[in-house]
Amino acid sequence: MSEISKVLLLVGSPKGENSVSNNIASYILEKFNENGVKAEKIFIVKEVRNDEALNELVLQAIDAEILILVSPLYVDSIPAINIKVLEEFYKVKNDSYNKKQSFMTIFNCGFPEPHHNDLAIDMCKKFASDTGLKWMGGVTIGMGPSLEGKSLERFRLAKNLCTGLDMAVDAILKGETVPQEAIVIASKPLMPLTIVKFVMCNFGRFMWGNQMDKSVKGNMFDRPYEL
Amino acid sequence: MKAVILNGSNENENPLNTWEKLIVEILDNYGWQVETVELRNKKLATCIGCFGCWIKTPGECILKDEGREICKNVARSDLLVLLTPLTFGGYSFELKKMMDRLIPNLLPLFTKINGEMHHKTRYEKKPKLLAIGYNFQHDEESERIFKELVHRNALNMDNPTSYVEVVAGEVNDIIVGEEILRNIEVIS
């Protein structure tokens, strides 16, 4: 039985429950729960709407022994709503608290190359350092949207991701540091990059064209602003 | 020529607000038409990640607040100036909420730059980028992250040139002013 008392997963996608981040967080949550560890999941987007809810979220985050942020990448960085939480956490933690906590992050982006997430991971590592949290590492995932609405366990392309996350959870349960090997395995590209890049560059117009609303089909390249 | 200044300062008492005035004055002297946006005073929603600006109202955010107007002005600008306190090496919440809202000016399609995937831009015209970060004390890692972030943003927004400055520790407004002037002389 693990001695870990409380794990909190922060789902940092503005899309909330219908997000890839939630998919990944749910997978991790289940792994902890299977092992008898109390793990909770909070959707940041629901809690940043007012100061009271935000404050409550920050207090819950400060109370957790293991804090895991699962987030998409927005504009090379952490989405604004998550920065808000980190800023508030920093203020409260520095003012009043001195508890042993560990922090891990998992970022996913729409680009095929996982390394686009590296800077967001660096910022989270800096946040951990500035707030006195023990840094456990950051997983980077490319082609995030391909995980949308899928069970990670049953999705063949997510095999490495699941293996790496399993290793990370096992280590956390034993009270150990997340091994670098787990981060490396979980961060492997879902598919060979050469193939994905070729498809995205050459068939992107068709793929996005299919997602366009009927009323604006063919308007993908619109320039609504006169320059 | 048009410049837009996005001031991501979290508070009224901050050196960034003094520098904003300095930048306006310098740009004005060089004949620029300047719009300043103090983001903390704007009611801006955060991006909801719906991709509506690509698939429902191409080129425009579906959120009908001041973010739309700012996005339009950035698209029309020749120079985009970002001012922010360094926040774990990145932008403050105030600045980031607007940066996230600039994606209507990009296309969903991809292109390769130096072998790496990036979005294509919607408009041929792209502003130059000047980013100035303030840190209350010197911190090498924060400064490295910030410079790299601005560089990555410039790649993704396809800014023709980008300039980045980090001012840390005790601030001498005269020295900062000279630095800003030097940057703007290069840009102009």
Side-chain angles (χ1 to χ4, degrees), chain A residues 190-213:
Chain A
L190 301 186
M191 279 178 76
L193 290 179
T194 319
I195 297 170
V196 185
K197 286 182 186 181
F198 177 81
V199 171
M200 287 171 103
C201 282
N202 293 288
F203 300 98
R205 191 167 173 174
F206 172 75
M207 286 150 65
W208 278 100
N210 278 341
Q211 294 184 54
M212 300 288 288
D213 261 19

Side-chain angles (χ1 to χ4, degrees), chain B residues 2-142:
Chain B
K2 292 175 188 164
V4 173
I5 302 173
L6 299 181
N7 183 347
S9 168
N10 297 319
E11 55 209 356
N12 293 325
E13 296 299 319
N14 192 300
L16 291 164
N17 302 324
T18 311
W19 304 343
E20 178 200 297
K21 291 182 184 75
L22 264 173
I23 295 168
V24 172
E25 209 176 300
I26 294 168
L27 285 170
D28 200 42
N29 286 341
Y30 276 86
W32 288 76
Q33 187 186 325
V34 187
E35 187 207 359
T36 59
V37 186
E38 286 172 357
L39 292 160
R40 67 189 179 284
N41 299 324
K42 298 283 178 191
K43 275 206 163 180
L44 287 180
T46 50
C47 175
I48 57 172
C50 66
F51 292 138
C53 58
W54 287 345
I55 61 172
K56 288 181 180 163
T57 53
E60 273 192 306
C61 182
I62 63 162
L63 303 172
K64 293 176 181 168
D65 61 13
E66 288 183 78
R68 269 188 169 194
E69 191 66 17
I70 297 168
C71 193
K72 179 170 79 181
N73 291 340
V74 169
R76 286 176 170 171
S77 70
D78 302 283
L79 172 66
L80 173 62
V81 181
L82 308 177
L83 297 175
T84 181
L86 262 56
T87 306
F88 316 117
Y91 303 139
S92 65
F93 164 71
E94 295 296 346
L95 178 58
K96 189 60 176 27
K97 71 182 172 186
M98 192 56 229
M99 295 302 285
D100 289 349
R101 297 280 302 272
L102 291 180
I103 68 158
N105 293 344
L106 298 176
L107 290 169
L109 305 184
F110 293 103
T111 185
K112 270 196 257 184
I113 301 174
N114 300 327
E116 192 183 66
M117 298 286 271
H118 293 278
H119 283 289
K120 289 184 176 177
T121 51
R122 188 172 294 278
Y123 299 95
E124 277 164 31
K125 181 181 176 181
K126 272 92 60 171
K128 292 174 182 174
L129 183 64
L130 168 63
I132 301 174
Y134 169 65
N135 212 7
F136 68 98
Q137 61 182 15
H138 279 286
D139 181 282
E140 274 184 28
E141 180 60 359
S142 285

